[in-house]
Each structure stands twice: as structure tokens, then as C-alpha cells.
């Protein structure tokens, strides 16, 4: 098991305690008093620098001139003495000529040199440039007073007056250096009137807004030392055109480069956060740190850190989330989850850095909270394992006692329970088996053939799949025939090898007799369900006959009369065919078994559905001509298809797709093992599929139970699918159901193929006083062409003008074209595309006062939505004309 199943109050109390401890620990690690926390916070910043994407600095607005050892040698300067100010003057003049935007000296000029002439040249060069920033420094000291010891005081060492007056500005070269020699935070200087920092003074000179010059920024390092474009001091003094282009419109920082020597001898350098202690480039020149700060201000990519209150909230929230997550898993998967959580925190840190320039001390979570939560989870799971072991031992003792009790209960069970070994010998029979079959347990023990406990197919299925369920015909010792509902389960030994078969048989002989009676009642109920739908089509068929006869009595022979006679003949044949189907269906004998051709039966069901179901349901029938024959009862198989089709219709109240199909199928052992109760063999598969609401997974196991239904009260008995299952089982077949909520349902019925062809001539039960008009314009909408034509001829013969439509949508369209002239609408209730009530609503949306007469083939007295009257089919000619005249006169 991957997940921990513990959910007791003790579990939640422990989880909350560990999470609270880790949250408080994370908060304490954020405080400056925690050395471990301080180291992790600093390491989070340092490692975050390596996570930032590399920034191209070829066109950097800041460049550096280094006073390196090679420059000392090239210009014959003593490394132990100050650099000649005459050379500084020469460099400033060269930068002025090159068009440098500003010059920043990270060199202290606090006293005059012994060469006054060189000092004057340097001051003149500063004044001529006009955009030079000089560096001062802070001298800190501790002193004692009467009230306290160790009071820190600061004194500023500013440039000499000669140079300070010639320069554009000056600033303190000091920076915020941490105890590990790394500069991580930007230093803009102390509050006024103290001088700004060297970088802040240069930023103001370069026009950087004051809002961006604050002490709240954190440095964004662009790489290891010497990443920012630079030249040596000696190279910068060379009269080279490329040097001029290098300095043009740039802010030039001038300062000392790395110096050789021991760690203690390094001067004016800081440790790089991007390097390790063994790296040769461990330290970064101070002037490069100053230049990095300036680049951050110019590029607006300095880093930020959340306020401490937000970091505290993150630490506490992370502690509870990670602890809750790790406590949900067993130790081994929890280790993987811990690694994944660390990766997630690392990924979030990368995203915050790259897209929000925000860094967070994420190592506090990765190095402390996640390991702490994992350790707590392992300890908790270990304690739980020990407790569970003791609990399981106690439960085992209780289970052994329960097994002994259950063994005694089996002896008293009402069902016949028998155990048969793999060779077919009965090794156990309970007292109920003795009462059911008449043999004593001693007579049955070790015997084969005396009592056929299960069929060969049942044994084979149970051996292959582990279980079989079905019905068996058996004979008692006295010769009485029994029908038993049998469940066979494969019993395995400790190694998992098959050992025996357990049969639990229930006598259902009387129940089967009642089922046969129920099938007769079910057929009558099915006919009742279909009667309402058939009434509409039957009445549509007889309506034009009745009207045509009445017209023929009024008219002489003419071409219209011949056309009416043809319509009458067609509809008379149609009505006779429907009556024949209902009669054949009602005469079906449930006990009759014969060889059947299912293709013909499907066509009969198709005809019944097309005549009775709503036209909003699109029916598709697929059946190959070479279907294998099956042996069965035509009435029962017809009932199976009809029950499934009625369920499909009810699942699609607004219409949809209904598919009937049949095909030949051969199942091998592997395929049969995937279908409940299936055995290998040759079958004809009947498929009924709909696009309706589907069956929820939690209800699929109950749909074949008697009286189980999801329909509202009064809309279903709950016996339809149980009837299907019983009939299919009696035919030695099985059912497979496939359904997903909202995606429809498919029933696959597998019936064994017969070994002989169907007999010729085999029949199957089939699926079930007026005035003349004055030229008024009347709209007639009916999908039955015969009814529509007869109404049109009748009305036109009486002096009315008529426009006809074959469905509701066509009726609305034609009404829109003649809205001002139409006086009355005759609308059929059941039409495709748009039914009668929907058509009335659409017509009244255009003209609320339009009188409408609904024509219905069903026996009803309801006039429908806003209809003037109802006209029941078939109707006499005089009734139609009288109603039309009355409605027109009334309105």
C-alpha cells in the first residue's frame, strides 16, 4: 500500500504537533539569532544566483578599469605605494575625450600627494570632465560611556578639498558585508545629512530615479569575477580607437583588481556568492561589486525579498502542507514524495527568481522542514506498524474463533452447500443439501456421478475465471426435477493453486414457475406501453380514409378522386399491417423453442419502433445477411429487445440515437474470461445502444435486480432488465453492459448459435354542419403526407386558401412569410424537427392572437399550450369544417 490508512484523532494530533513544531522551527531559523538559519538563508541567496538566467553584458552600460599587477609593471608603479595621480589625470582626460557618461573612482584620495603638480593636473582633469565621482570611506570605532560600553561611532574620511571641489560628487565606498565576506544587500548610504554611498552618488549623477536608490534591494550577480566588461589600467591609457568606442556613453568604474598573496593579504575584495572555497576565483574585486550594484539600478533587475511577515506565513504554511502530505504515505513512497516536494520548492524558487526577481530562503524548507516532516512520518508509521501488528494478532485470534462459529452456521444454512474436488468427487455436503437432494452426506462423500453438482461449462468457467453463476436443472433421489440458482467459486490452497470448487445452490423451482406467469403479464404490459404510441399512427392512417370517403360522396369522378383513392388504399394496407403485428405479438407462446433467424426479428422490431417511438429518436439497424441461426423462443427474445428499446427511449426524453445491431461472434477462453458468466463458443450478438443519460457506475451492479428502477414513481416497475437477464440466462446466453454517465448505454446480448438452419416458413411474433369559406388563409402542419393532402383538398373544396407544411419548423417559416394573412393554424401534435406544442409557442411568438387547433392521433382532451381546440384523429369531414368555421367566427 502506498497510502497510510491511519485517520484516528491520535493521527491528526500527531500530525498537527509535528507541523506546528516545524513551523515554529522555520520561524526561529528566520531570526538573526539562529546561526544555522543565518547560514541557510545566506546559502539560499548564494545558490539562487546560479539559478538566474545568464544575462548578456556585451553592451553593458557599465565598464571597469582594473588596477592590476600587469598595469603596475607596465606603468612602472610601486604596488606598495599609491598610484601616480598624474596617470589618473591622464586616464580621466582620455575617458573625457572618449565620451564616457560618468567616471567613478573606487580609490580614496583623502590626502594630497607629495607631487603637488600631479595633484593639480588630476584636479584639473576632474573639473574638465565634470562627471567624476570620488570615493570616501567610513571609519567605525567603539567607545565607552558612563551609561554603556561598546557604543559604535562612525567617522567619514572624505576626499581632499582640492579633489572634492573639482569632482561632480563623492560617496562612501563602504558596502554591507556579511560575516562570510559576501556582499548581498545594496548599500545606498545612511540617512541624511550623511553622504550617500559611492554607487548611490554615481546613480544620482547618471539620472537614476530616487525611488530606485534604496537600501531594500538585494544584489543580482551576473556571474563569477570579471564577468562585467573591463580593461586593465595600462590598456585604458593606450591611444587606441577601440578603447574610445569601449568607453563611449558608459559609466566607468576604476578600482583595484585581484591581488596575489595569501587570504589574509587580499585587499579591497569580497567573496563571490557564485564560487566555492576551492575555486581560484574565490574573491571578487570591490569595484566589480560596486559596478554590479550600478548595473542592478540601471537594468532594474535587482532582487527583492518578501517582508518578514510573509516569510513567516510561508514557513508555517509549508510546514503544515508538507507534514500533512508526508504523513499520508508509507515510508518508502514518502521518501519519493519528499524528493518531489523538494523539487517543487526548488522549482517555485526558480520561477520566483526568473519571473518576479524575488528570492526566498528556500533551503529552510528543503534542508530542515522536509527532512523533519519525513523523519516524523517514518517514526509515526513505525509506531503505527507496531500497534497494527499487535492489533492484527488480536484480530487473528478473534477471526479463528469466528471461523469456528461460521463453520457451525454453515451446517444450519438453508441453501445447499457442496464442495467438489478437481476430479469431481463430493468432499462435503451440508444438512440442507441432504434435505434438498435426498441423499445423506455419507452417501455423497467421495462419489462422482451420483449427483451432477454443476455442469461442465460451470466447472470450466469457475476454473478459468474463479467464479460462475447461473441456473442448473437437477434431479433429486426421488426423481423430482429441480431448478437451482447456483454459484460456483474456485477455492485455492495456501500456494494459490486450485484445490476445490464450492457450490451454493438455491432451489428456485417455484420461482421459475412464477416467472413464466410473469412473462405473460409482461407481454400484456408491453402492449399497453406501446398502445399510446401506436394510436397516433393508426389514427393518422384512418383519418385520410374517412375524409376521402366523405369527399367522394360529394364529388364526381375527376383526377383528384383517383389520387384520393390511391391514398386510401395505401393507408388501409398500413393500418391492417399494424393490427396484424399487434395480434401476432399477443399470441406468442413463451414455452415454444424453435430455430430463429434474428435478422428478420430485428426488422420486425425496427418496424414497430419506427411506428411507435418519438420521431426525435433516430433509429439505425445493422444486421448482416449471413447471421447464424439461434434456438429460442421468438416471443421472449422479442420481449428482450423491446424492453431494452423502451429503456433506451426513456433515457432519451429529448431524442437521440438508437442503434440495433446483430453479428456473429466466436469467443475464445481469454475473451470469455473478460465477460461475466461467459463461456467460450459461437454466439450471435444482439446490440442495443443509445445516446442517453447513461448509468452511474455505482448503480450498474443493481440494474438486473427485480424491482430496482431509477425512474420516477409510476413510470416503471423495475422488472424490465431483470426480465431480460432471466430470459437470456434461460437461453444459455449472457449480457454485457457498457455505460458512462452522459455518454449513453450499450447492451450486448450473446445467444448461442444453433447447429441447424431455421425451418422454412418459421414465423416470428411481430412488434406490436359546416359553412363555406370566404377565402380565409389557413396554415396546415402535419408530417403525414396523406393526412395533409386530404385536409388541404377538403378545405380548398370549401372555399378556403391553404398553405401546407410537413413539420413544425417549415410551418413557422411559411407563417413568417404570410403572417398578416393567416387566420387559423391546424397543427399536428407529433412531428419531426419541431413538435406541435413547440410549434404553437413559436407561432404565438409572432402573433399571440392567432387561433390554433391541435390535431392528435392519441385519445386526449387536453388542448395543449394556448390552443383554441383539439381535433382527435380520425375525424369526420363535417367535424373538421364545423370546427374551422366556428374558430374563425369566434376569433
Amino acid at each position: 500500500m502506498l497510502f497510510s490508512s491511519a485517520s484516528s484523532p491520535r493521527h491528526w494530533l500527531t500530525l498537527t504537533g509535528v507541523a506546528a513544531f516545524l513551523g515554529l522551527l522555520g520561524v526561529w531559523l528566520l531570526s538573526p539569532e539562529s546561526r544555522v538559519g543565518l547560514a541557510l538563508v545566506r546559502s539560499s541567496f548564494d545558490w539562487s544566483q546560479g539559478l538566474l538566467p545568464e544575462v548578456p553584458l556585451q553592451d553593458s552600460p557599465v565598464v571597469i578599469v582594473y588596477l592590476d599587477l600587469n598595469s603596475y609593471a607596465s606603468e612602472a608603479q610601486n604596488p606598495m605605494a599609491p598610484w601616480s595621480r598624474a596617470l589618473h589625470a591622464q586616464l580621466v582626460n582620455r575617458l573625457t575625450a572618449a565620451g564616457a557618461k560618468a567616471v567613478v573612482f573606487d580609490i580614496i584620495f583623502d590626502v594630497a600627494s607629495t607631487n603637488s603638480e600631479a595633484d593639480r593636473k588630476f584636479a584639473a582633469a576632474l573639473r574638465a570632465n565634470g562627471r567624476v565621482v570620488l570615493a570616501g570611506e567610513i571609519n567605525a570605532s567603539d567607545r565607552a560611556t558612563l551609561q554603556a560600553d561598546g557604543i559604535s561611532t562612525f567617522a567619514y574620511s572624505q576626499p581632499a578639498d582640492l579633489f572634492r571641489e573639482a569632482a561632480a560628487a563623492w560617496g562612501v565606498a563602504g558596502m554591507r558585508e556579511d560575516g562570510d565576506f559576501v556582499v548581498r544587500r545594496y548599500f545606498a548610504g545612511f540617512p541624511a545629512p550623511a553622504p550617500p554611498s559611492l554607487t548611490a552618488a554615481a546613480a544620482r549623477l547618471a539620472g537614476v530615479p530616487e525611488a530606485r536608490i534604496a537600501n531594500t534591494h538585494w544584489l543580482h550577480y551576473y556571474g563569477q569575477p570579471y564577468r562585467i566588461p573591463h580593461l586593465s589600467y595600462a590598456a585604458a591609457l593606450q591611444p587606441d580607437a577601440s578603447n574610445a568606442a569601449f568607453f563611449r556613453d558608459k559609466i566607468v568604474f576604476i578600482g583595484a583588481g585581484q591581488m596575489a598573496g595569501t587570504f589574509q593579504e587580499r585587499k579591497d575584495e569580497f567573496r563571490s556568492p557564485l564560487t566555492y572555497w576551492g575555486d581560484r576565483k574565490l574573491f571578487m574585486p570591490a569595484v566589480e561589486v560596486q559596478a554590479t550594484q550600478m548595473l542592478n539600478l540601471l537594468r532594474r533587475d535587482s532582487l527583492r525579498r518578501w517582508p518578514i511577515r510573509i516569510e513567516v506565513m510561508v514557513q508555517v504554511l509549508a510546514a503544515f502542507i508538507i507534514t500533512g502530505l508526508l504523513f499520508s504515505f508509507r515510508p518508502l513512497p514518502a521518501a519519493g514524495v519528499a524528493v518531489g516536494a523538494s523539487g517543487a520548492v526548488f522549482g517555485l524558487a526558480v520561477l520566483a527568481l526568473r519571473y518576479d526577481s524575488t528570492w526566498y530562503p528556500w533551503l529552510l524548507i528543503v534542508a530542515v522542514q522536509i527532512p523533519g516532516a519525513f523523519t516524523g512520518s517514518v517514526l509515526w508509521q513505525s509506531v503505527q506498524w507496531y500497534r497494527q501488528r499487535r492489533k492484527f494478532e488480536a484480530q487473528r485470534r478473534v477471526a479463528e474463533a469466528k471461523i469456528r462459529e461460521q463453520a457451525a452456521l454453515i451446517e444450519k444454512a438453508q441453501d445447499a452447500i457442496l464442495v467438489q474436488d478437481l476430479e469431481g468427487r463430493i468432499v462435503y455436503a451440508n444438512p440442507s443439501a441432504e434435505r434438498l437432494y435426498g441423499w445423506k452426506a455419507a452417501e455423497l462423500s467421495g462419489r462422482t456421478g451420483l449427483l451432477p453438482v454443476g455442469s461442465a461449462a460451470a466447472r470450466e468457467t469457475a476454473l478459468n475465471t474463479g467464479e460462475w453463476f447461473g441456473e442448473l436443472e437437477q434431479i433429486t433421489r426421488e426423481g423430482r426435477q429441480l431448478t437451482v440458482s447456483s454459484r460456483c467459486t474456485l477455492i485455492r490452497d495456501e500456494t494459490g493453486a486450485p484445490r476445490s470448487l464450492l457450490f451454493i445452490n438455491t432451489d428456485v423451482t417455484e420461482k421459475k414457475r412464477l416467472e413464466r406467469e410473469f412473462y405473460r403479464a409482461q407481454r400484456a404490459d408491453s402492449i399497453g406501453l406501446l398502445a399510446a404510441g401506436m394510436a397516433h399512427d393508426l389514427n393518422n392512417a384512418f383519418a385520410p380514409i374517412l375524409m376521402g370517403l366523405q369527399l367522394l360522396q360529394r364529388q364526381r369522378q375527376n383526377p383528384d378522386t383517383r389520387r384520393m383513392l390511391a391514398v386510401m388504399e395505401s393507408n388501409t394496407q398500413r393500418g391492417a399491417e399494424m393490427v396484424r403485428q399487434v395480434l401476432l405479438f399477443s399470441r406468442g407462446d413463451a414455452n415454444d423453442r424453435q430455430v430463429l433467424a434474428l435478422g428478420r426479428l430485428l426488422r420486425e422490431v425496427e418496424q414497430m419502433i419506427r411506428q411507435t417511438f418519438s420521431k426525435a429518436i433516430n433509429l439505425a439497424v445493422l444486421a448482416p445477411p449471413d447471421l447464424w441461426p439461434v434456438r429460442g423462443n421468438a416471443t421472449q427474445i422479442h420481449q428482450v429487445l423491446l424492453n431494452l428499446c423502451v429503456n433506451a427511449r426513456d433515457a432519451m426524453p429529448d431524442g437521440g440515437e438508437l442503434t440495433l445491431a446483430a453479428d456473429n461472434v466466436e469467443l475464445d477462453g481469454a475473451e470469455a474470461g473478460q465477460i461475466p458468466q461467459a463461456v467460450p463458443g459461437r454466439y450471435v450478438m444482439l446490440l442495443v445502444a443509445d445516446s442517453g443519460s447513461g448509468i452511474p457506475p455505482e448503480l450498474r451492479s443493481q440494474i438486473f435486480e427485480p424491482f430496482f428502477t431509477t425512474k420516477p414513481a409510476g413510470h416503471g416497475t423495475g422488472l424490465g432488465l431483470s426480465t431480460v437477464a432471466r430470459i437470456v440466462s434461460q437461453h444459455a446466453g449472457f449480457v454485457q453492459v457498457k455505460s458512462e454517465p452522459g455518454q449513453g448505454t450499450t447492451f450486448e446480448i450473446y445467444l448461442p448459435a444453433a447447429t441447424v438452419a431455421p425451418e422454412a416458413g418459421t414465423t416470428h411474433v411481430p412488434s406490436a354542419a359546416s359553412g363555406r369559406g370566404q377565402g380565409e388563409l389557413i396554415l396546415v402542419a402535419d408530417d403525414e403526407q396523406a393526412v395533409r393532402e386530404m385536409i388541404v383538398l377538403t378545405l380548398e373544396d370549401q372555399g378556403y386558401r391553404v398553405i401546407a407544411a410537413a413539420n413544425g419548423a417549415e410551418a413557422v417559416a411559411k407563417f413568417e412569410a404570410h403572417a398578416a394573412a393567416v387566420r387559423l393554424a391546424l397543427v399536428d401534435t407529433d412531428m419531426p424537427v419541431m413538435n406541435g406544442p413547440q410549434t404553437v409557442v413559436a407561432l404565438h411568438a409572432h402573433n399571440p392572437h392567432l387561433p390554433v387547433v391541435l390535431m392528435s392521433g392519441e385519445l386526449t382532451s387536453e388542448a395543449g399550450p394556448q390552443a383554441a381546440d383539439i381535433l382527435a384523429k380520425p375525424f369526420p369531414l363535417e367535424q373538421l369544417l364545423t370546427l374551422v368555421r366556428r374558430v374563425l367566427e369566434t376569433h
Side-chain angles (χ1 to χ4, degrees):
M1 294 178 61
L2 295 178
F3 294 95
S4 171
S5 59
S7 58
S8 62
R10 182 183 299 168
H11 168 82
W12 291 109
L13 184 62
T14 304
L15 187 153
T16 304
V18 172
F21 170 75
L22 292 176
L24 293 175
L25 179 61
V27 173
W28 179 75
L29 291 173
L30 285 171
S31 65
E33 290 76 16
S34 172
R35 291 188 177 183
V36 175
L38 186 60
L40 291 174
V41 170
R42 290 174 176 175
S43 296
S44 297
F45 174 86
D46 296 347
W47 290 9
S48 296
Q49 300 299 314
L51 303 177
L52 292 166
E54 184 174 341
V55 178
L57 296 178
Q58 291 84 353
D59 297 326
S60 169
V62 177
V63 297
I64 301 174
V65 174
Y66 282 115
L67 284 76
D68 55 5
L69 290 176
N70 291 333
S71 297
Y72 275 96
S74 176
E75 300 301 327
Q77 296 294 308
N78 182 3
M80 305 304 295
W83 194 269
S84 171
R85 291 176 182 172
L87 291 176
H88 288 323
Q90 183 181 348
L91 178 60
V92 172
N93 290 332
R94 188 167 300 281
L95 296 176
T96 302
K101 187 174 182 179
V103 180
V104 183
F105 275 94
D106 188 20
I107 302 172
I108 306 299
F109 301 105
D110 55 345
V111 295
S113 68
T114 56
N115 188 343
S116 58
E117 181 61 26
D119 287 352
R120 284 194 298 272
K121 288 182 179 181
F122 183 48
L126 298 179
R127 193 175 294 106
N129 183 280
R131 298 186 67 81
V132 178
V133 180
L134 299 181
E137 62 180 349
I138 302 175
N139 296 319
S141 62
D142 294 335
R143 60 186 178 85
T145 66
L146 294 176
Q147 289 79 18
D149 294 333
I151 300 299
S152 298
T153 59
F154 298 92
Y156 298 104
S157 177
Q158 58 188 6
D161 294 342
L162 176 65
F163 305 133
R164 189 177 69 254
E165 293 172 357
W170 74 279
V172 177
M175 286 179 284
R176 287 187 174 182
E177 175 187 357
D178 292 325
D180 56 352
F181 306 104
V182 177
V183 176
R184 296 182 175 87
R185 288 164 293 175
Y186 175 72
F187 178 63
F190 296 107
S197 69
L198 180 63
T199 304
R204 292 190 179 99
L205 186 64
V208 176
E210 286 291 332
R212 277 193 270 145
I213 306 174
N215 286 326
T216 59
H217 300 287
W218 292 74
L219 292 191
H220 172 188
Y221 284 93
Y222 300 105
Q224 293 186 349
Y226 295 98
R227 177 81 168 79
I228 299 176
H230 57 274
L231 287 177
S232 67
Y233 199 104
L237 290 175
Q238 297 297 323
D240 190 342
S242 62
N243 288 356
F246 181 78
F247 295 120
R248 185 172 295 112
D249 295 326
K250 303 294 177 63
I251 298 176
V252 183
F253 277 78
I254 304 171
Q258 286 186 348
M259 305 295 289
T262 64
F263 181 87
Q264 290 80 3
E265 293 175 337
R266 294 181 180 272
K267 303 296 183 181
D268 206 17
E269 294 176 340
F270 301 98
R271 190 170 69 84
S272 170
L274 291 156
T275 55
Y276 299 95
W277 287 102
D279 200 315
R280 293 180 61 188
K281 295 181 179 179
L282 175 65
F283 280 85
M284 177 176 285
V287 66
E288 186 167 359
V289 178
Q290 298 279 13
T292 299
Q293 293 184 136
M294 176 59 76
L295 267 177
N296 286 178
L297 294 175
L298 294 175
R299 294 174 57 89
R300 301 186 184 183
D301 62 353
S302 57
L303 302 182
R304 298 188 302 274
R305 184 177 173 184
W306 285 332
I308 187 64
R309 65 179 183 279
I310 295 180
E311 290 189 351
V312 167
M313 292 173 59
V314 170
Q315 289 295 124
V316 174
L317 185 62
F320 277 88
I321 292 176
I322 293 169
T323 304
L325 186 64
L326 294 181
F327 266 63
S328 302
F329 291 88
R330 300 290 183 185
L332 187 58
V337 173
V339 174
S342 299
V345 173
F346 178 79
L348 291 174
V350 173
L351 291 176
L353 274 171
R354 297 196 172 190
Y355 296 103
D356 194 45
S357 297
T358 300
W359 76 276
Y360 176 79
W362 48 274
L363 279 175
L364 298 180
I365 300 176
V366 172
V368 177
Q369 289 187 327
I370 292 179
F374 175 71
T375 302
S377 172
V378 171
L379 292 175
W380 166 255
Q381 296 293 346
S382 299
V383 172
Q384 287 299 105
W385 174 83
Y386 176 73
R387 289 175 177 168
Q388 288 292 336
R389 182 178 177 182
R390 294 182 57 187
K391 181 179 178 181
F392 288 154
E393 289 177 353
Q395 290 176 344
R396 179 177 57 82
R397 292 189 293 270
V398 174
E400 290 174 350
K402 188 175 182 180
I403 289 173
R404 291 190 294 270
E405 180 183 356
Q406 290 174 345
L409 292 175
I410 289 176
E411 296 293 322
K412 300 178 181 179
Q414 296 300 313
D415 292 332
I417 301 176
L418 303 104
V419 179
Q420 192 178 54
D421 63 16
L422 300 183
E423 285 73 32
R425 294 186 296 268
I426 297 176
V427 298
Y428 172 78
N430 72 338
S432 292
E434 296 179 358
R435 291 192 297 270
L436 180 62
Y437 297 112
W439 282 284
K440 296 296 182 181
E443 297 176 295
L444 295 174
S445 180
R447 301 284 296 275
T448 61
L450 183 62
L451 174 64
V453 178
S455 65
R459 290 173 53 83
E460 181 180 356
T461 301
L463 290 173
N464 291 334
T465 65
E467 193 172 25
W468 175 86
F469 176 78
E471 293 182 353
L472 297 173
E473 299 293 334
Q474 297 179 332
I475 299 177
T476 67
R477 185 173 188 175
E478 293 77 17
R480 182 169 62 92
Q481 188 171 359
L482 295 177
T483 301
V484 297
S485 175
S486 179
R487 180 179 294 277
C488 178
T489 303
L490 178 64
I491 306 299
R492 300 179 182 273
D493 59 18
E494 294 79 3
T495 63
R499 185 180 64 184
S500 57
L501 294 171
L502 170 66
F503 286 88
I504 301 177
N505 296 341
T506 304
D507 184 8
V508 294
T509 306
E510 181 63 18
K511 180 181 178 183
K512 301 304 293 184
R513 185 187 66 79
L514 295 175
E515 280 184 357
R516 286 192 293 272
E517 297 296 329
F518 165 73
Y519 291 151
R520 296 190 184 96
Q522 182 78 1
R523 283 200 307 278
D525 185 54
S526 298
I527 293 175
L529 291 175
L530 294 172
M534 293 180 64
H536 185 79
D537 278 350
L538 285 172
N539 289 327
N540 273 336
F542 295 135
I545 298 175
L546 182 60
M547 288 187 292
L549 289 172
Q550 294 178 349
L551 280 176
L552 287 175
Q553 292 174 359
R554 297 187 177 201
Q555 297 177 350
R556 298 179 179 180
Q557 292 293 328
N558 55 40
D560 290 338
T561 301
R562 289 193 295 272
R563 183 153 58 96
M564 285 187 291
L565 288 173
V567 172
M568 291 165 59
E569 180 181 4
S570 172
N571 282 275
T572 301
Q573 292 174 351
R574 179 181 175 190
E577 176 65 18
M578 286 187 286
V579 172
R580 184 185 68 83
Q581 290 177 0
V582 174
L583 291 177
L584 288 176
F585 177 75
S586 63
R587 285 204 302 263
D589 185 2
N591 294 319
D592 181 37
R593 294 289 179 95
Q594 53 188 320
V595 178
L596 306 174
L598 295 184
R600 181 178 174 185
L601 191 145
L602 274 180
R603 290 190 294 273
E604 294 171 353
V605 173
E606 174 189 6
Q607 186 176 2
M608 177 174 284
I609 290 174
R610 292 192 186 278
Q611 293 173 353
T612 59
F613 281 20
S614 169
K615 293 179 174 60
I617 296 178
N618 298 322
L619 176 64
V621 180
L622 306 171
D626 58 343
L627 280 177
W628 295 328
V630 299
R631 181 173 295 277
N633 182 277
T635 299
Q636 290 185 348
I637 297 177
H638 188 280
Q639 188 171 355
V640 166
L641 291 173
L642 188 59
N643 285 359
L644 294 178
C645 290
V646 169
N647 280 355
R649 179 200 65 185
D650 295 342
M652 301 182 292
D654 299 324
E657 303 293 332
L658 176 60
T659 302
L660 300 180
D663 200 5
N664 299 325
V665 176
E666 287 192 68
L667 297 180
D668 56 21
E671 293 171 331
Q674 298 177 3
I675 304 176
Q677 304 178 19
V679 295
R682 300 169 74 246
Y683 297 87
V684 177
M685 181 194 71
L686 296 176
L687 179 143
V688 179
D690 65 72
S691 60
S693 55
I695 304 173
E698 64 272 15
L699 299 182
R700 275 182 225 145
S701 61
Q702 307 176 57
I703 60 175
F704 292 112
E705 296 177 5
F707 304 106
F708 177 81
T709 180
T710 59
K711 299 177 184 178
H715 292 268
T717 63
L719 297 173
L721 289 181
S722 64
T723 301
V724 169
R726 295 282 190 274
I727 293 175
V728 173
S729 177
Q730 288 176 350
H731 284 74
F734 48 90
V735 184
Q736 184 176 25
V737 184
K738 300 176 182 177
S739 182
E740 291 295 334
Q743 300 183 16
T745 303
T746 300
F747 286 85
E748 295 177 355
I749 311 297
Y750 292 82
L751 300 175
T755 56
V756 296
E759 298 175 2
T762 299
T763 60
H764 309 294
V765 176
S767 48
S770 64
R772 291 184 58 82
Q774 304 299 321
E776 294 94 334
L777 183 60
I778 299 177
L779 171 65
V780 177
D782 198 308
D783 61 312
E784 291 288 337
Q785 181 180 359
V787 175
R788 191 171 63 251
E789 288 186 359
M790 294 302 295
I791 294 175
V792 170
L793 288 173
T794 300
L795 294 175
E796 288 179 345
D797 183 66
Q798 294 298 312
Y800 297 101
R801 292 182 297 127
V802 184
I803 54 175
N807 56 62
E810 184 181 351
V812 173
K814 290 188 175 182
F815 176 77
E816 292 175 351
H818 304 84
V822 175
R823 296 283 307 281
L824 172 65
L826 301 177
V827 180
D828 187 27
T829 57
D830 190 9
M831 296 185 293
V833 183
M834 183 185 293
N835 63 26
Q838 294 171 339
T839 305
V840 174
V841 173
L843 292 176
H844 282 166
H846 294 282
N847 183 1
H849 305 292
L850 175 71
V852 178
V853 174
L854 281 176
M855 301 180 294
S856 173
E858 300 180 11
L859 298 178
T860 178
S861 60
E862 296 180 1
Q866 303 179 13
D869 213 326
I870 188 78
L871 191 60
K873 300 177 183 178
F875 41 80
L877 180 63
E878 292 300 325
Q879 182 182 358
L880 169 66
L881 296 176
T882 300
L883 179 61
V884 169
R885 190 72 259 160
R886 178 172 58 81
V887 172
L888 289 175
E889 291 176 354
T890 302
H891 290 78

